[in-house]
Amino acid sequence: MSLPSLVLVPGAWHKPEHLALLKAELRDVDVHIVALSSSGDDPEKLGDMHQDAALIEKAVAEIGGPVVVVAHSYGGIPTSEGLVGADNVRRIIYLAAFQIETGESLLSSAGGAPAPWWKIHDGADAGDYVEPVDPITVFYGDVDPDIARQAVTQLGYQSYISKTQEQTRAAWHAIPSTYVVCESDNALPPVAQEYFATRADRVARMATSHSPFLSQPAALARLIGDELASA
């Protein structure tokens, strides 16, 4: 029996390139990666959470057949927003992600104050945007140094509004979900992940930083493969 297709949704500041090592480990899987509008190199062109949700919805709809979606970090929010009513989605895997409720935003669910490692820029008419301070420590603590340095060069800016917009609906109420807790995460504290994980049907754990797709891509691919096989 063939496996469902897989849609990967990166987190804030991240791009499809960051998920290349994971995709390479999923050789027998039909993998699609969404490029989010809220992250990019030009602050004047950054989108918001609702635009991201529309891109995820479109990517899933274009596949047509059964799909499992893996959403990393911020990516959990537009995934939950965009996939309500997506009948071909068999499971959402929240990878160190914000599995939040209707009416919450990333900022509100994280206590309401920007993280100390956010550097917020005034973007004037385009809106404020954010870049991470010390991303190697925050995102890539257990990643090979050469891979981590390359990952930093690929990071984009993130629109500030994407972090403050409230989620208006939550697909995980109807679609089965798995939460993957990253136990050595410096970006999204594991205690917060454990709380989000109470909303999932299944919980897995990895002894990694925020970015197991770079530090342990083979192990993460095995975990995802098991989820695909059971979807």
Side-chain angles (χ1 to χ4, degrees), residues 40-74:
D41 298 329
D42 185 350
E44 298 294 319
K45 296 181 179 178
L46 298 179
D48 64 17
M49 186 273 287
H50 294 289
Q51 290 171 276
D52 290 343
L55 289 169
I56 297 164
E57 179 183 19
K58 182 175 183 286
V60 166
E62 287 178 346
I63 294 170
V67 177
V68 169
V69 179
V70 176
H72 180 239
S73 195
Y74 156 80

Side-chain angles (χ1 to χ4, degrees), residues 106-150:
L106 184 150
L107 196 61
S108 72
S109 68
W117 48 269
W118 291 8
K119 184 177 181 179
I120 302 173
H121 298 267
D122 182 356
D125 292 341
D128 295 347
Y129 61 97
V130 189
E131 65 177 314
V133 177
D134 193 12
I136 287 182
T137 298
V138 175
F139 298 143
Y140 311 130
D142 63 345
V143 177
D144 174 90
D146 289 337
I147 294 174
R149 283 191 290 269
Q150 176 66 19

